[in-house]
């Protein structure tokens, strides 16, 4: 029988997506502020105004039966410039959040980097500049030193795959580059920076655990042919292995490096850095699960990435081909898809959890899971039955994986409350609690919030 006594049921947010107060209390510009302001796009200047509502938000987590809050620290709120000057007001804000968590019996689960690079580092080349790796380690050290008595669960990076590929390959996130060679370099620097962060944590002898969070899309093939298995390996290297193998085993997949080195210069991957990566692996893996990747062998066409994160529904528009490697199958007639082409596939979570458990043998947290929808939040309570059914099916899939031996220690719904969803803006909503962005950002629990509370309080009896 599964023991859920210490299981961390919670929900998650990220600094830029919820805090607002973008220029308050000496916070400096992040690359996202800069980019969205320059382009005149919908931004997170105010977002959910968590900066002024955090007490209410954390109290609602407690009243919602939740035991943990996953959130991120904002580098531009904490470190003012390249010289590493600390913003005491930024530290004070996070101390208030952490104290509030503890007063409410909520365990903080804290990400050090969730995409908001200070613009002063972006201007030096961002993740293409090796210096930024060292700067990240120094920033992480400031976080450990100041918050170590209040935080036991740390995460270096949120979703390297997603932000590196969106920023340097697909080009729809800042710095809006489309260049394979730069993608490889940025990816390498992020994984090296993550290992440097782990090294700081170990050397400081702090209590607790440190991990990484990955945008996990387990790979399935359309059939059992050997060509399909080769395509699956390429896809798995591209989607998952370069993060999970590197963080958990300290090894960048050698077949991936061998393939890339035929076309690109990777001589900047220095032996002393690879040694740091090898020696500083993580204590746990955080997996954000929304969907799987279904692949078939490459047939024809140039490398193409069309993904829908415009905020507008647009079924059927997505397309992913990596020339000579694989093609992603975007439509399985037996499956269900959201308006944003995300396949709803809970079985992928069970299979993926078992695969990760077998490959790495580390404790796992599901650090994000949820569904984004348009919702009318002017009603007294949003009746989000689709979210309840999505969460129920995925939590059941998680239990099945646990029954078969996967060591899963927590589940975080994305998101705690409605927030700003990057290029998707605010209208694609994921929250358990509605935020009315047009009316003083008032909060109203959705039906899913109550369902989640009852499920946790009943020890998931009705699901098991
Ligand atoms: C992944 C990211 O961590 C988060 O920032 C994003 O908003 C959600 N998934 C939903 O797409």
């Amino acid at each position: 029988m599964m023991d859920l006594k210490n299981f961390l049921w919670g929900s998650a947010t990220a600094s830029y997506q919820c805090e607002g107060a973008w220029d308050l209390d000496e916070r400096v510009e992040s690359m996202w502020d800069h980019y969205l302001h320059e382009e005149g796009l919908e931004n997170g200047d105010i977002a959910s105004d968590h900066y002024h509502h955090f007490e209410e938000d954390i109290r609602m987590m407690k009243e919602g039966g939740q035991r943990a809050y996953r959130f991120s620290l904002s580098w531009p709120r904490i470190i003012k410039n390249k010289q590493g000057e600390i913003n005491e007001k930024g530290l004070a804000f996070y101390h208030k959040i952490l104290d509030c968590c503890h007063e409410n019996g909520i365990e903080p689960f804290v990400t050090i980097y969730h995409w908001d690079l200070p613009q002063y580092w972006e201007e030096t080349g961002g993740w293409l500049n090796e210096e930024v790796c060292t700067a990240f380690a120094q920033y992480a050290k400031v976080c450990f030193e100041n918050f170590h008595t209040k935080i036991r669960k740390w995460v270096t990076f949120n979703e390297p795959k997603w932000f590196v590929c969106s920023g340097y390959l697909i080009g729809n996130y800042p710095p809006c580059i489309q260049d394979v060679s730069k993608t490889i370099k940025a990816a390498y620097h992020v994984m090296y920076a993550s290992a440097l962060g782990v090294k700081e944590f170990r050397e400081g002898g702090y209590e607790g655990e440190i991990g990484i969070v990955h945008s996990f899309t387990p790979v399935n093939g359309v059939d059992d042919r050997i060509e399909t298995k080769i395509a699956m390996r390429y896809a798995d290297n591209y989607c998952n292995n370069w993060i999970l193998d590197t963080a958990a085993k300290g090894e960048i997949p050698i077949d991936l490096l061998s393939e890339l080195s035929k076309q690109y210069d990777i001589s900047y991957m220095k032996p002393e850095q690879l040694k740091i990566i090898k020696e500083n692996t993580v204590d746990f893996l955080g997996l954000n699960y929304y969907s799987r990747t279904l692949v078939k062998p490459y047939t024809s066409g140039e490398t193409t990435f069309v993904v829908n994160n415009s905020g507008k529904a647009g079924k059927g528009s997505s397309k992913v081909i990596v020339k000579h490697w694989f093609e992603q199958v975007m439509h399985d007639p037996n499956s269900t898809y959201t308006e944003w082409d995300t396949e709803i596939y809970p079985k992928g979570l069970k299979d993926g959890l078992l695969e990760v458990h077998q490959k790495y043998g580390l404790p796992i947290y599901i650090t994000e899971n949820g569904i984004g929808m348009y919702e009318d939040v002017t009603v007294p309570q949003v009746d989000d039955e689709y979210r309840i059914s999505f969460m129920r099916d995925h939590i059941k899939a998680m239990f099945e994986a646990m029954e078969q031996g996967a060591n899963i220690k927590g589940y975080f719904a994305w998101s705690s409350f409605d927030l700003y969803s990057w290029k998707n803006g605010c209208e694609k909503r994921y929250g358990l609690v509605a935020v009315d962005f047009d009316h003083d950002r008032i909060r109203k629990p959705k039906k899913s919030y109550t369902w989640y509370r009852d499920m946790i309080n009943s020890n998931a009896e009705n699901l098991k």
Side-chain angles (χ1 to χ4, degrees):
M1 198 54 194
M2 278 178 298
D3 181 9
L4 294 174
K5 206 165 34 58
N6 297 318
F7 194 81
L8 282 191
W9 293 109
S11 61
T13 65
S15 49
Y16 185 72
Q17 298 185 261
C18 71
E19 287 177 3
W22 79 280
D23 59 353
L24 214 66
D25 292 336
E26 295 171 52
R27 179 187 179 282
V28 297
E29 205 183 27
S30 75
M31 74 192 293
W32 277 91
D33 298 305
H34 187 83
Y35 161 73
L36 296 167
H37 290 161
E38 287 277 297
E39 298 292 317
L41 295 168
E42 189 178 345
N43 58 51
D45 286 3
I46 307 177
S48 327
D49 200 19
H50 187 53
Y51 201 80
H52 298 107
H53 287 256
F54 70 88
E55 286 170 322
E56 178 186 358
D57 292 332
I58 294 170
R59 178 178 44 75
M60 285 174 94
M61 290 172 202
K62 178 195 176 178
E63 289 167 3
Q66 299 173 34
R67 303 171 184 165
Y69 176 30
R70 174 174 178 242
F71 63 95
S72 75
L73 305 171
S74 159
W75 188 345
R77 211 180 273 295
I78 294 181
I79 310 286
K80 287 189 197 173
N81 50 35
K82 281 191 287 189
Q83 291 66 45
E85 196 185 333
I86 293 174
N87 177 9
E88 294 299 335
K89 292 183 183 162
L91 293 179
F93 169 63
Y94 291 113
H95 274 298
K96 281 193 277 177
I97 291 214
L98 290 164
D99 292 343
C100 186
C101 282
H102 290 297
E103 281 154 24
N104 284 285
I106 299 274
E107 162 115 44
F109 195 101
V110 179
T111 307
I112 301 169
Y113 184 89
H114 197 126
W115 308 355
D116 42 1
L117 185 73
Q119 177 62 16
Y120 56 78
W121 279 121
E122 180 48 38
E123 276 159 16
T124 72
W127 291 109
L128 298 172
N129 175 7
E130 197 190 303
E131 243 189 301
V132 174
C133 305
T134 331
F136 170 79
Q138 282 159 3
Y139 155 56
K141 188 174 181 190
V142 169
C143 300
F144 300 142
E145 279 176 345
N146 283 280
F147 304 129
H148 71 100
T149 56
K150 300 181 183 178
I151 301 174
R152 292 287 181 265
K153 302 275 188 289
W154 294 91
V155 167
T156 55
F157 281 84
N158 177 70
E159 297 199 346
K161 152 71 173 41
W162 191 264
F163 82 83
V164 168
C165 289
S166 303
Y168 297 86
L169 186 65
I170 305 168
N172 57 348
Y173 278 12
C176 301
I177 291 170
Q178 294 180 324
D179 182 314
V180 178
S181 138
K182 288 182 177 162
T183 304
I184 302 166
K185 194 175 213 175
Y188 174 69
H189 281 154
V190 169
M191 295 313 295
Y192 172 52
S194 176
L196 286 176
V198 173
K199 185 167 181 279
E200 286 296 343
F201 184 73
R202 304 254 187 269
E203 286 175 359
Y206 307 105
E207 258 179 69
E209 296 158 36
I210 189 158
I212 194 164
V213 164
H214 171 51
S215 44
F216 184 43
T217 58
V219 172
N220 290 166
V222 285
D223 56 37
D224 293 331
R225 286 180 305 147
I226 191 68
E227 298 91 309
T228 308
K229 290 193 186 300
I230 295 169
M232 283 169 68
R233 174 69 192 181
Y234 278 124
D236 211 10
N237 277 345
Y238 167 70
C239 293
N240 303 307
N241 300 338
W242 69 264
I243 300 94
L244 297 179
D245 282 18
T246 311
K249 301 204 275 193
E251 288 164 18
I252 310 169
I254 200 71
D255 57 335
L256 174 65
L257 289 181
S258 151
E259 192 74 25
L260 296 174
S261 67
K262 289 178 194 155
Q263 281 190 63
Y264 304 98
D265 175 20
I266 57 166
S267 57
Y268 50 81
M269 300 186 187
K270 301 190 197 100
E272 59 275 20
Q273 296 174 339
L274 295 172
K275 186 165 181 275
I276 289 176
I277 290 176
K278 181 75 201 169
E279 288 171 354
N280 293 281
T281 53
V282 292
D283 299 318
F284 65 85
L285 293 169
L287 302 176
N288 293 351
Y289 182 82
Y290 292 89
S291 200
R292 65 166 168 172
T293 299
L294 182 62
V295 302
K296 64 177 185 181
Y298 171 77
T299 50
S300 61
E302 292 305 311
T303 295
T304 313
F305 296 100
V306 182
V307 290
N308 182 5
N309 56 12
S310 63
K312 306 266 176 295
K315 231 174 178 165
S317 57
S318 306
K319 190 171 188 175
V320 173
I321 301 175
V322 178
K323 197 174 180 180
H324 302 308
W325 285 18
F326 69 93
E327 291 180 26
Q328 190 171 338
V329 177
M330 290 299 180
H331 196 75
D332 175 347
N334 304 315
S335 231
T336 321
Y337 293 80
T338 71
E339 291 299 319
W340 284 265
D341 284 335
T342 305
E343 186 184 3
I344 302 179
Y345 193 65
K347 184 176 180 297
L349 179 60
K350 176 191 167 188
D351 296 345
L353 287 169
L354 287 169
E355 189 187 326
V356 168
H357 170 66
Q358 276 145 21
K359 270 173 96 173
Y360 307 107
L362 288 175
I364 300 169
Y365 293 88
I366 294 168
T367 34
E368 287 182 28
N369 180 235
I371 186 166
M373 291 294 216
Y374 290 132
E375 286 165 332
D376 173 10
V377 299
T378 57
V379 297
Q381 184 176 51
V382 176
D383 183 358
D384 52 348
E385 202 47 63
Y386 40 85
R387 184 165 292 112
I388 295 174
S389 120
F390 183 96
M391 288 173 71
R392 180 192 292 123
D393 292 348
H394 284 81
I395 292 171
K396 273 188 187 168
M398 172 185 81
F399 283 147
E400 285 169 22
M402 287 165 83
E403 267 152 18
Q404 293 183 29
N407 181 11
I408 300 160
K409 302 180 67 164
Y411 171 96
F412 293 82
W414 181 270
S415 48
S416 308
F417 43 86
D418 289 338
L419 32 71
Y420 169 78
S421 260
W422 312 107
K423 297 287 283 287
N424 281 305
C426 285
E427 289 312 313
K428 188 180 179 189
R429 295 165 182 274
Y430 286 86
L432 298 174
V433 173
V435 175
D436 190 339
F437 296 106
D438 298 323
H439 299 99
D440 301 326
R441 292 177 161 71
I442 46 169
R443 271 77 168 145
K444 284 183 263 180
K446 300 180 193 175
K447 203 170 165 190
S448 55
Y449 166 93
T450 320
W451 173 84
Y452 193 44
R453 178 196 65 199
D454 296 346
M455 191 274 300
I456 299 170
N457 289 343
S458 74
N459 232 355
E461 271 318 320
N462 49 350
L463 294 185
K464 280 189 241 163

